[in-house]
Amino acid sequence: MTEIAGKPGQYEDCSIEYAKPIEYLKECEFDGYINSEFEGQRFCQDVGEEGLIDEVEQVCRHHEMLTRLIG
């Protein structure tokens, strides 16, 4: 989750297109749950403790993005 340039406090995941599926779910009046999962530090295994990202912060950023897209 990276901050959107020029939009402090707003985040995006550049590896997955979230906007289109969320819009489709809204159009279909989906009234269920959306699950998000953080897979941890797999890609950071060799960088040491100081290079690890804050897992809680990443989940908070993901929730911000979903909340914004869902409206």
Side-chain angles (χ1 to χ4, degrees):
M1 301 301 303
T2 55
E3 192 168 61
I4 299 171
K7 297 183 178 183
Q10 293 186 15
Y11 300 91
E12 64 185 350
D13 181 346
C14 297
S15 64
I16 299 174
E17 173 60 52
Y18 281 93
K20 289 179 185 177
I22 295 294
E23 188 60 35
Y24 178 75
L25 291 173
K26 289 168 62 174
E27 288 173 8
C28 294
E29 299 181 10
F30 176 75
D31 190 28
Y33 294 94
I34 296 175
N35 184 35
S36 64
E37 178 180 337
F38 182 71
E39 294 184 8
Q41 308 288 351
R42 292 181 186 176
F43 67 93
C44 298
Q45 292 174 355
D46 299 328
V47 297
E49 290 285 324
E50 66 281 350
L52 297 178
I53 57 177
D54 184 339
E55 294 143 333
V56 173
E57 178 64 24
Q58 290 299 304
V59 172
C60 290
R61 290 177 178 192
H62 193 259
H63 287 181
E64 180 283 320
M65 178 193 68
L66 288 176
T67 300
R68 182 172 31 82
L69 291 174
I70 292 168

